[in-house]
Amino acid sequence: MDDVQRLMKRHQSIGKLSTAFLYAVLVSIAMNFFWSPGHIYSSGITGLAQLVNTLTIRNSPVVISTALGLFLLNVPLFVLAWRQISHQFTVYTVASVLLASIMIRVLNPVHLTTDPIICAIFGGAVNGFGTGMALKNGISTGGLDILGIVIRRRTGRSIGSINIFFNSFIIIAAGFAYGWPYAFYSALGLFVNARVMDMTYTRQQRMQVMIITGRPKTVIDSVQNHIRRGITIVHDAEGAYHHDNKTILFTVISRYEMNDLEEAMDEADPSAFVSISDTVKILGHFYEPKL
């Protein structure tokens, strides 16, 4: 049994490191093929690293490249993650950021276009997909991800306001550095990046599920075997058409767990009626897997 667990852990580690490498390739493509040629700033720490690079090129004899700045600016956040989140999470985060810094430095820029609108859209899309894929596979890309996890664990609040403030600063910096039209282009890139990341990373999207079934025990067992979620039971419901006895089950899942829910329902009660709707806000405990 121990050998099987070791093999599974090794397999997971290889999978996560492979994902970290793929993320590094995608962010370097976004940076070297689109953002840098189009004078577009990214979001978060990556955008701050670009700003540091711009300022040192113009005002300092020592130039700090975007690749180096990305790693150095993340170092305090690595320490925070080591102390507040977990050692394993920190190791994978360091790996993903280090690989991203290396690939940005190593991958030769290809100037496909300097059109700022095209660079903003495609750079944001490529980076958003890479970031979303990394998060989906349990890897942080560093930066504001770490702050978000720590703040949510301590206060239960999201990092939305900090993200807005930080990215507003990046957009204003783009305006001062390259002219105000580029501030709007950078804002467009941030929007595309966020939308693609949301489409790719679905763990944070909550969905309310209502199940109407005549086989409640079978459905509950099947769902909880597939997903670690609590279920609320409403007894003595009645179908209006045949007037047969039904039970209503309520639960909340993440969009990432949708396939598991569908498999559970196919196994337990394919004829059950299942209604799924997006949840805007949750008060109370909602289990999230440990990182």
Side-chain angles (χ1 to χ4, degrees):
M1 189 69 178
D2 290 339
D3 291 337
V4 174
Q5 289 179 343
R6 275 197 221 99
L7 187 62
M8 288 180 64
K9 285 184 178 179
R10 188 179 304 166
H11 178 72
Q12 290 174 350
S13 297
I14 293 171
K16 287 188 175 183
L17 290 174
S18 300
T19 302
F21 177 75
L22 186 54
Y23 158 74
V25 171
L26 290 172
V27 73
S28 63
I29 290 173
M31 180 68 68
N32 293 338
F33 290 19
F34 298 107
W35 287 334
S36 294
H39 301 309
I40 305 299
Y41 280 163
S42 176
S43 61
I45 299 299
T46 306
L48 184 59
Q50 289 177 274
L51 177 61
V52 170
N53 175 245
T54 301
L55 292 176
T56 54
I57 287 174
R58 294 181 179 181
N59 304 307
S60 173
V62 178
V63 176
I64 299 175
S65 67
T66 301
L68 178 61
L70 176 62
F71 187 82
L72 293 178
L73 290 169
N74 270 288
V75 169
L77 298 170
F78 295 154
V79 176
L80 179 65
W82 185 269
R83 293 179 177 177
Q84 299 292 329
I85 302 176
S86 75
H87 293 177
Q88 180 178 319
F89 172 84
T90 307
V91 169
Y92 287 122
T93 302
V94 172
S96 66
V97 175
L98 179 60
L99 286 169
S101 299
I102 292 171
M103 291 306 298
I104 289 172
R105 186 70 179 175
V106 169
L107 190 67
N108 291 325
V110 177
H111 289 196
L112 301 174
T113 178
T114 57
D115 185 298
I117 295 179
I118 294 175
C119 289
I121 292 173
F122 282 89
V126 171
N127 184 72
F129 177 74
T131 304
M133 179 195 62
L135 294 171
K136 186 176 182 179
N137 287 276
I139 297 176
S140 167
T141 58
L144 300 184
D145 295 347
I146 296 171
L147 283 178
I149 293 167
V150 172
I151 290 172
R152 189 169 68 244
R153 285 187 176 182
R154 288 193 169 189
T155 67
R157 298 180 179 179
S158 72
I159 196 177
S161 57
I162 294 178
N163 263 314
I164 292 171
F165 171 79
F166 203 93
N167 289 331
S168 297
F169 169 74
I170 296 297
I171 290 169
I172 293 170
F176 279 110
Y178 297 119
W180 292 108
Y182 287 92
F184 295 107
Y185 299 141
S186 294
L188 174 62
L190 295 180
F191 175 77
V192 173
N193 180 83
R195 294 298 298 170
V196 174
M197 188 171 67
D198 281 345
M199 288 188 290
T200 309
Y201 175 56
T202 54
R203 285 184 188 270
Q204 86 284 13
Q205 299 173 27
R206 310 292 182 237
M207 309 187 76
Q208 179 176 284
V209 180
M210 180 182 71
I211 303 169
I212 301 175
T213 178
R215 305 169 62 188
K217 188 177 187 310
T218 306
V219 170
I220 290 170
D221 290 343
S222 182
V223 170
Q224 292 187 327
N225 283 335
H226 284 77
I227 310 170
R228 183 176 172 178
R229 294 295 167 208
I231 297 175
T232 300
I233 307 171
V234 180
H235 293 290
D236 301 325
E238 180 181 346
Y241 190 73
H242 292 293
H243 297 283
D244 46 353
N245 290 329
K246 297 288 184 181
T247 299
I248 302 175
L249 307 175
F250 287 99
T251 188
V252 176
I253 65 172
S254 67
R255 190 178 292 274
Y256 181 76
E257 297 164 327
M258 178 72 76
N259 290 336
D260 292 329
L261 176 70
E262 291 177 356
E263 287 180 11
M265 294 308 303
D266 285 341
E267 291 174 7
D269 187 2
S271 62
F273 179 81
V274 182
S275 174
I276 302 172
S277 57
D278 290 331
T279 299
V280 176
K281 186 174 183 179
I282 293 175
L283 300 177
H285 179 68
F286 182 82
Y287 169 76
E288 294 185 43
K290 290 186 177 179
L291 297 166

